[in-house]
């Protein structure tokens, strides 16, 4: 690989012109790996979009239309990306603590919203001080436990980082984590503690800390400034407006994620945390077979109707996709699927994020059961059926044929997945 | 030995009608309690119990809980603006409870979900939240399954006595039967009453709809603004593929599955 | 002759034993709950009820009705005369000849019974019932021979000891069946219990062509709600069970049985008999409950007694939940037994005491309680469908000619098409109409059939309270289930809200408008049309004609299904059956669409949103399904004013 980075105006020009005949090949040719700051080859999730003529990054909105998106320019480094302004804090006068969920070691979008909100609060406090003629600077501190895979803490707004990586904090360790945050509280006396009000641990840890400190938190908060906080209450049917407390458990989209600045993500020290008696012992995650997940909780359902004629293939497809199986009543009535798989008015009301309906016409009683599904995919021979009207994506054709192709693609994809679980770029699929 | 299990129940709120009802999670807490200790289960509710109780919506709801098979139920007398923690923790301590089950969040009022944590703190007991099931209780320890999103489960052990909040993933509460519910007895108990001072200053209003956040593009040029304005909104009517080859169709589905991160 | 006295003594002994049996049987019935009836007038009315009401039903099977008149009439007469001639020794040639004649009549009848029994249809019970024709013939022949001397045909004292002994043995055999068996549980029990059932029927209104279909309110706040054990039934319900002749007509009509769901109304009634008398179903010789899932309940394993919980060993709960409450069995039963009452009574126990409503039952009931509609929609969205309909709401107008009872179809997109069509027709006819809007609540139909009478009564009272605030002459509804509740069941709650109010189904009302010339209709040109009678309109309310007349007014010649009118087959949508959804071998709705396909129909006209939903739930290809209001709207000739 050449280290000399040259701009290629022609390819850049082609990349900017979506109608250019070579556009696709140019885009895809460079959708490759990027050398990360540590020197490892990485896929950089931030490298979506391309650099426009005036050097400003643009996001390709047509992504998802089947065309690959990636960084343009032959250079494999981010040399052409504009460097975002670095938000530097020498000696913070106050702290706002954020304890992100870090699901799978990465910041969730919920975490990023909370970090964004933390900065908004910081700026307001700083401005208030300025109005008083004082100068004061706050730092947003991410309090992180356990494994960390996130590489762009700096871009998410982390000024300071407390990363506790001791064994006692690994996995599910609410008591140890509570001791740690309680100690951090003592050492730094932060202005606020912000937690994502989530099922990933944020709500739990925030509630524990509140109870420990005897402070009344704002829970399910969604509109926050330094004075007042609006919280949802009574199963989200009311808004409670109250003075902003020190501890906040925040809903998603409570703030805007940071996107225009870089931050230092400088480590902050904590004294060794003493974890006394542990009453809760984690025995790890249970192995859950996708097909054993209760239908109502499943996230991804492959559902079979009267239009399935090859049942063996259907079951294989579900296994290959890692999907939970569902069925229409007809498939159940005809004895191909057990009753507890039935989706619909007289079956289960499912909440899957993705629901693939294979050979299901979409009778009203079936539709009732999938009302809460986010993305419905229909595979059906009849383009006029109601399921097609409901679906985000419909493919018209024989279920057997399409499932067969789908299984092939999925198996090929699995073969490409590297041991770390990172996906290789799939640009080649478009090259043909 | 039968563990001493207490389920705490509150007045729920139907999401559509706003009417009082048996709360989803508290019902599950009661169900789990029945599973653990059958007819020995104690059930308590902290709330109003005065001359207006008979025939009130509260009574109806409490009788719905009782209709799951309770002979009696304890009502810790509290006014509606009281802080229930002192009363509840006093009661739990006096009953030498070993397992206390409640819902994650109340369906009415502040719904903060803090009650179990405050009880745990005031009693000095461990708390596990979002329990899907309690598998066994042996040798002063309970084996508990915690509910994680999308059907995942975590197994933990916790020492007795402890507090557990029960997740929606726990087994559904059994049907409530009218007859037993009507015949159940309420034992009203006087407990210390502390006014909830903080709440008095709060302002409550019907929830405002929160606009769904659009994928914001910070447009820096006119062309970008134009593009953002004309970009096809997510949702709307779906895409239909008819004449493409089966391979292309399958590919489109696959891409969507990848984009939705259900295949990794 | 030394043995001359023997026949009379035998008759006397058997008669005494029969009386003992009768007393014992009566005490079994009386173990049930009190239910006031007028004993004297009931007994007096009995013969007429037999000849008129019972025969009205038996008459549907001409063969059987004639046979029964000959056999039954002959026997009753013969028995009376036997007592006169042979027991009390009335010496009259005339009586003896009359006896001979009645015995001949009975014998002739018995021959036809015998013929029917040679190749009995599967609905008939076998076992002891197979020997009945022989017993009948034996009786006739024996007493014929025995009476010959008295009639002067043979000289007195004819025959030797042997003949007397043989005759005596035959007397024992035949009277054992006919008298002893009558009160000790043999096939002839039906005559004894049947006759008394006619006298003491719980729904006296049914006699003389009346109709009584509304369920009776459950007592609330009692020790046990509903029927848990046989003695919780009213005493005359128990008596009714005993009247069953095991003719299996109910079985032949029952849609759940035909679909292979674990219900057979005949067996159910027989199980009730087992329960009230104690014992097992080992002697039952008819078809059992279908067993689609191969749970393998052995015949003879059902055990019960008057004081044991019925669902704990006698009848499976699934049997009770399979019923669609379509009343086809009741309509068909010659003994006027009330299956639906019994089934709902037992469901009340399962729901209100045990909390064991299967499948979606609990959820639906919770929804009804918390939102006044079975699907848990926001009560405030009940009138959303009518946003563009410009309809008066009672709260504003207080008064209207017609109150349109919208029912829960308001929440369902498919049903809304029916509602809109109906509103359009009303507007075309310039009817002064208003709706209750968000003040309307579920009629309680589903809650009641699912056994939750507490919730039904609560809804009924609140609905009546709302209705009493407004003034109207007529209520019209497109939902036969709500129609039935309003018309036949709301009367039990002491409200005057519906006094002098006519409750009508939309087809009846529309038919009036058409006949009055208020609606002008074009001729329908859409192929063959058949009509599905909703049970809650037809059997429950007797309205078979208005929908047909409406169709005719559009020039439609209805291609009738074999099962139509009072014999219409339910679509499977009643009684909460789609909610409890007990598995069978087939779907009732599929069978109904098959019925329709046999008529080559392109369109099934219905008069019920629930029927529409059920029949449209059948996979295509199938005839199109539309409510009559929808068909009418398309043929409406709108006048330009
Ligand atoms: C009271 C009631 C409750 C009900 N409850 C439920 C319920 O809970 N759940 C439920 O699912 N249903 C329920 N139903 C039944 C419902 O109405 C429909 O009958 C049922 O959903 C239809 O199932 P289906 O779509 O699999 O079959 P169909 O309607 O027969 O549809 C089959 C589809 O497959 C397509 N097809 C055929 N061959 C192929 C092929 N080779 N490749 C691809 N596509 C093909 C056809 O175009 C068609 O769209 C209920 C009905 C009633 C009346
Ligand atoms: S219940 Fe009625 S219809 Fe059914 S078998 Fe008995 S007598 Fe016949
Ligand atoms: S009411 Fe209908 S479904 Fe029920 S038993 Fe009678 S015939 Fe069968
Ligand atoms: S839905 Fe129709 S056919 Fe079925 S029970 Fe009701 S009225 Fe009868």
């Amino acid at each position: 690989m050449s280290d000399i980075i040259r701009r290629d105006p022609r390819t850049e020009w082609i990349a900017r012109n979506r109608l250019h005949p070579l556009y696709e090949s140019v885009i895809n040719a460079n959708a490759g790996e990027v050398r990360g700051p540590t020197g490892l080859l990485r896929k950089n999730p931030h490298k979506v979009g391309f650099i426009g003529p005036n050097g400003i990054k643009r996001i390709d909105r047509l992504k998802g239309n089947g065309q690959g998106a990636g960084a343009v320019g032959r250079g494999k480094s981010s040399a052409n990306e504009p460097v975002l302004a670095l938000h530097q804090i020498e000696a913070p006068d106050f702290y706002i603590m954020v304890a992100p969920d870090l699901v799978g070691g990465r910041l969730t979008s919920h975490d990023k919203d909370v970090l964004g909100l933390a900065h908004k609060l910081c700026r307001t406090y700083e401005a208030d001080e300025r109005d008083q003629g004082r100068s004061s600077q706050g730092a947003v501190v991410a309090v992180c436990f356990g494994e960390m895979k996130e590489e762009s803490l700096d871009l998410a707004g982390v000024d300071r980082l407390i990363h506790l990586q001791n064994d006692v904090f690994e996995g599910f360790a609410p008591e140890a984590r509570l001791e740690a945050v309680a100690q951090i509280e003592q050492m730094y006396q932060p202005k606020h503690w912000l937690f994502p009000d989530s099922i990933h641990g944020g709500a739990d840890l925030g509630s524990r800390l509140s109870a420990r400190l005897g402070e009344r938190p704002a829970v399910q908060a969604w509109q926050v400034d330094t004075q007042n906080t609006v919280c949802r209450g009574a199963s989200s049917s009311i808004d409670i407006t109250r003075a902003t407390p020190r501890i906040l458990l925040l809903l998603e989209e409570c703030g805007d994620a940071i996107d225009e600045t870089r931050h230092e993500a400088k480590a902050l020290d904590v004294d060794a945390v003493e974890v006394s008696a542990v009453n809760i012992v984690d025995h790890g995650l249970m192995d859950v077979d996708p097909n054993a997940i209760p239908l109502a909780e499943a996230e991804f359902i492959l559902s079979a109707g009267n239009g399935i004629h090859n049942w063996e293939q259907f079951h294989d497809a579900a296994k290959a996709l890692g999907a939970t199986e569902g069925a229409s009543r007809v498939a159940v009535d005809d004895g191909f699927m057990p009753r507890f798989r039935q989706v619909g008015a007289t079956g289960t009301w499912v909440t899957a994020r993705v629901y693939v309906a294979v050979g299901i016409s979409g009778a009203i009683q079936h539709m009732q059961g999938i009302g809460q599904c986010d993305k419905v995919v229909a595979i059906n021979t009849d383009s006029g059926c109601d399921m097609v009207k409901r679906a985000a994506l419909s493919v018209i054709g024989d279920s057997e044929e399409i499932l067969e192709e789908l299984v092939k693609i999925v198996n090929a994809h699995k073969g490409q997945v590297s041991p770390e679980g990172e996906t290789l770029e799939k640009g080649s699929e478009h090259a043909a | 030995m039968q563990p001493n299990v207490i389920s705490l129940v509150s007045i729920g709120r139907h999401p559509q009608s706003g009417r009082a009802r048996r709360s989803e999670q508290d019902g599950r807490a009661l169900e789990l309690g029945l599973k653990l200790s059958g007819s020995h289960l104690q059930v308590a509710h902290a709330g109003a119990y005065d001359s207006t109780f008979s025939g009130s919506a509260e009574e109806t709801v409490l009788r719905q809980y009782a209709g799951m098979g309770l002979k009696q139920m304890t009502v810790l007398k509290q006014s509606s603006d009281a802080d229930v923690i002192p009363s509840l923790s006093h009661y739990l301590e006096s009953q030498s409870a070993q397992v206390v089950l409640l819902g994650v969040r109340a369906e009415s009022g502040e719904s903060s979900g803090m009650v179990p944590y405050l009880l745990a703190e005031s009693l000095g007991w461990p708390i596990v939240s979002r329990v899907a099931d309690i598998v066994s209780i042996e040798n002063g320890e309970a084996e508990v399954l915690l509910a994680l999103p999308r059907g995942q489960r975590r197994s933990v052990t916790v020492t007795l006595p402890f507090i557990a909040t029960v997740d929606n993933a726990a087994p559904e509460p059994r049907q409530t039967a009218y007859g037993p519910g009507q015949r159940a007895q309420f034992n009203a108990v006087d407990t210390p009453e502390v006014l909830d001072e903080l709440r008095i200053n709060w302002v409550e209003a019907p929830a405002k709809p929160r606009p769904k956040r659009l994928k914001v593009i910070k447009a820096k040029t006119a062309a970008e603004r134009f593009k953002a304005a004309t970009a096809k909104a997510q949702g709307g009517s779906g895409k239909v593929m008819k004449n493409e080859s089966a391979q292309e169709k399958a590919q489109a589905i696959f891409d969507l599955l990848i984009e939705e991160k259900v295949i990794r | 002759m030394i043995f001359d006295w023997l026949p009379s003594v035998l008759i006397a002994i058997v008669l005494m034993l029969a009386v003992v049996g009768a007393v014992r049987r009566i005490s079994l019935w009386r173990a049930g709950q009190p239910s006031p009836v007028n004993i004297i007038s009931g007994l007096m009315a009995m013969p007429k009820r037999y000849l008129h009401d019972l025969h009205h039903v038996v008459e549907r099977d001409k063969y059987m009705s004639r046979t029964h008149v000959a056999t039954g009439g002959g026997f009753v007469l013969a028995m009376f005369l036997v007592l006169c001639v042979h027991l009390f020794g009335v010496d009259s040639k005339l009586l003896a000849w009359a006896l001979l004649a009645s015995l001949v009549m009975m014998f002739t009848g018995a021959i036809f019974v015998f013929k029917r029994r040679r190749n009995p249809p599967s609905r008939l019970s076998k076992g002891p019932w197979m020997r009945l024709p022989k017993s009948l013939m034996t009786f006739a022949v024996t007493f014929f021979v025995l009476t010959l001397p008295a009639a002067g045909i043979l000289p007195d004292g004819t025959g030797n000891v042997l003949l007397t002994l043989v005759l005596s043995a035959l007397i024992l055999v035949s009277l054992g069946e006919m008298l002893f068996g009558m009160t000790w549980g043999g096939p002839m029990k039906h005559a004894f219990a049947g006759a008394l059932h006619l006298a003491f029927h719980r729904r006296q209104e049914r006699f003389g062509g009346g109709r009584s279909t509304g369920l009776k309110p459950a007592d609330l706040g009692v020790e046990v709600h509903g029927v848990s054990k046989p003695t919780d039934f009213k005493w005359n319900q128990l008596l009714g069970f005993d009247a069953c002749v095991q003719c299996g007509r109910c079985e032949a009509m029952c849609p759940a049985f035909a679909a292979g769901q674990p219900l057979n109304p005949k067996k159910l009634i027989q199980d009730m008999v087992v329960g009230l008398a104690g014992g097992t179903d080992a002697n039952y010789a008819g078809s059992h409950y279908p067993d689609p899932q191969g749970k393998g309940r052995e015949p003879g394993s059902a055990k019960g007694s008057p004081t044991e919980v019925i669902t704990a060993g006698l009848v499976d709960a699934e049997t009770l939940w399979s019923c669609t409450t379509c009343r086809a069995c009741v309509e068909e039963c010659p003994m006027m037994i009330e299956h639906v009452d019994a089934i709902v009574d037992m469901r009340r126990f399962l729901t209100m005491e045990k909390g064991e409503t299967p499948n979606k039952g609990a959820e639906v009931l919770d929804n009804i309680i918390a939102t006044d509609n079975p699907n848990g929609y926001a009560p405030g969205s009940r009138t959303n469908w009518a946003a563009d309909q410009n309809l008066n709401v009672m709260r504003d107008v207080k008064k209207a000619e017609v109150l349109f009872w919208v029912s829960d179809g308001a929440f369902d997109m498919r049903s809304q098409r029916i509602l809109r069509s109906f509103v359009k027709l009303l507007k075309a006819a310039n009817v002064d109409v208003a709706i209750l809007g968000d003040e309307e609540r579920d009629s309680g139909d589903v809650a009641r059939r699912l056994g939750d009478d507490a919730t039904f009564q609560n809804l009924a009272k609140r609905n009546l309270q709302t209705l009493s605030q407004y003034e109207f002459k007529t209520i019209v509804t497109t939902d036969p289930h709500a129609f039935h509740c309003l018309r036949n069941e709301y009367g039990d709650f002491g409200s005057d809200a519906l006094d002098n109010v006519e409750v009508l189904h939309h087809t009846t009302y529309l038919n009036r408008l058409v006949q009055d010339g208020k609606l002008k209709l074009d001729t329908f040109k859409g192929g063959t049309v058949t009509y599905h009678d909703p049970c809650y309109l037809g059997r429950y309310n007797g309205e078979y004609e208005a929908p047909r007349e409406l169709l005719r007014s559009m020039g439609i010649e209805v291609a009738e299904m074999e099962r139509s009118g009072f014999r219409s087959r339910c679509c499977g949508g009643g009684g909460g059956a789609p909610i409890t959804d007990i598995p069978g071998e087939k779907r009732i709705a599929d069978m109904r669409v098959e019925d329709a396909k046999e008529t080559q129909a392109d369109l099934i006209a219905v008069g019920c949103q629930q029927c529409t939903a059920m029949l449209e739930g059948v996979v295509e290809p199938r005839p199109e399904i539309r409510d009559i209001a929808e068909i009418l709207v398309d043929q409406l000739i709108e006048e330009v004013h």
Side-chain angles (χ1 to χ4, degrees), chain C residues 324 481 532-536 570-574 608 610-611:
Chain C
T324 70
H481 293 259
H532 163 76
D533 287 277
C535 348
Y536 276 76
C570 177
C571 68
C608 168
Q610 176 77 350
C611 302

Side-chain angles (χ1 to χ4, degrees), chain A residues 13-63:
Chain A
W13 178 71
I14 293 175
R16 285 198 297 273
N17 180 0
R18 217 172 278 114
L19 299 177
H20 196 281
L22 293 179
Y23 172 73
E24 254 191 74
S25 57
V26 166
I27 288 285
N28 290 322
N30 288 292
E33 314 87 315
V34 183
R35 196 170 290 282
T38 50
L40 281 174
L41 272 185
R42 286 240 165 79
K43 178 194 170 194
N44 185 346
H46 289 273
K47 294 211 85 179
V48 286
F50 55 89
I51 308 303
N54 47 6
I56 291 173
K57 186 174 164 181
R58 283 176 156 190
I59 300 213
D60 184 355
R61 295 279 300 169
L62 287 190
K63 182 177 173 281

Side-chain angles (χ1 to χ4, degrees), chain C residues 65-108:
Chain C
S65 83
R66 289 186 193 134
T67 307
H68 194 257
V69 169
T71 327
F75 168 69
V76 171
L77 204 56
M79 199 59 230
F80 174 72
L81 294 170
V82 162
L83 295 185
C84 294
V85 175
H86 295 288
L87 190 62
F88 302 118
V90 178
D91 190 9
S92 151
K93 280 230 164 55
L94 189 68
L95 280 189
W97 274 100
L99 175 54
L100 288 182
S102 54
L103 286 169
V104 169
M105 177 158 102
M106 179 179 168
F107 188 80
T108 322

Side-chain angles (χ1 to χ4, degrees), chain A residues 201-216:
Chain A
D204 185 50
L205 188 58
S207 304
R208 283 175 198 273
L209 181 67
S210 309
R212 169 64 61 84
L213 302 182
E215 304 225 15
R216 184 108 163 218

Side-chain angles (χ1 to χ4, degrees), chain B:
Chain B
M1 193 205 70
Q2 279 273 351
N4 187 7
V5 183
I6 297 185
S7 294
L8 302 179
V9 296
S10 62
I11 307 295
R13 176 190 180 282
H14 194 279
Q16 295 302 325
S17 67
R19 265 190 237 161
R21 66 154 180 185
R22 174 171 68 150
S23 123
E24 290 259 356
Q25 291 172 341
D26 294 355
R28 285 174 162 81
L30 213 168
E31 181 65 46
L32 189 53
L34 286 170
K35 178 195 139 182
L36 293 175
S37 64
S39 57
H40 297 284
L41 175 72
Q42 296 188 61
V43 179
H45 164 75
Y49 190 88
D50 49 27
S51 53
T52 62
F53 180 73
S54 166
S56 65
E58 284 79 32
E59 186 195 2
T60 311
V61 173
L62 293 185
R63 292 206 181 277
Q64 284 173 3
Y65 287 112
M68 293 169 72
L70 308 177
K71 291 256 183 313
Q72 54 200 15
M73 186 188 267
T74 303
V75 180
L76 308 172
K77 290 198 224 170
Q78 295 281 301
S79 62
S80 59
D81 46 5
D83 176 3
V84 294
I85 304 297
S87 152
L88 284 174
S89 67
H90 174 262
Y91 169 75
L92 294 176
E93 213 153 29
S94 71
Q95 299 294 313
S96 45
Q98 289 175 298
V99 181
V100 178
L101 303 170
L102 359 55
V104 175
R105 249 174 209 168
E107 290 177 355
S108 45
E110 191 189 350
S111 308
S112 71
M114 281 304 290
V115 168
Y117 289 93
L118 293 170
L119 283 177
E121 192 65 34
S122 91
L123 293 164
W125 298 354
I127 170 169
V128 279
S129 63
R130 299 199 167 270
V131 166
D133 200 3
I134 295 182
V135 184
S136 66
I137 299 181
E138 273 170 355
N139 309 326
E141 237 183 29
E143 188 187 341
V144 176
L145 292 186
L146 301 185
L148 299 178
R150 295 305 171 190
Q152 304 296 310
R153 300 282 183 266
R154 180 187 293 283
S155 162
V156 303
T157 48
V158 52
T159 53
L160 299 185
F162 71 98
I163 291 182
T165 66
V166 179
D167 189 86
N168 284 343
E172 268 185 42
R174 67 192 63 184
Q175 184 179 355
T176 155
Y178 176 82
Q182 291 301 308
R183 291 190 291 269
Q185 298 286 327
F186 293 115
N187 308 323
V189 178
D190 287 308
T191 47
E193 182 159 334
V194 180
L195 194 69
D196 184 350
E197 303 273 1
L198 252 172
R199 247 190 107 168
I200 295 167
N201 297 323
W202 295 357
V203 184
E204 289 180 13
K208 273 184 289 185
R210 294 179 65 191
K212 253 266 182 265
R213 180 160 66 190
L214 298 169
K215 289 218 167 87
V216 214
I217 316 158
K218 293 210 170 148
K220 295 243 156 74
T221 68
E224 275 172 348
R225 272 194 298 277
F226 175 73
K227 210 162 65 182
T230 52
K232 188 167 164 276
Q234 280 237 318
S237 73
K239 178 172 157 187
V240 181
M241 299 176 76
K242 261 188 195 161
N243 300 322
E244 291 82 350
S245 73
Q247 200 259 341
E248 284 169 312
K249 290 170 183 162
Q251 185 66 49
I253 297 177
F254 177 80
D255 290 347
L256 182 139
L257 299 181
I258 291 282
E259 189 178 305
E260 290 295 322
K261 300 199 181 68
V262 291
I263 296 188
R264 275 170 277 258

Side-chain angles (χ1 to χ4, degrees), chain C residues 250 253-256 263 265 323-329 339-340 343:
Chain C
C250 52
M253 295 312 291
C254 176
L263 168 62
C323 175
T324 70
T325 67
C326 72
R327 269 185 93 80
C329 48
H339 311 66
V340 177
I343 289 172

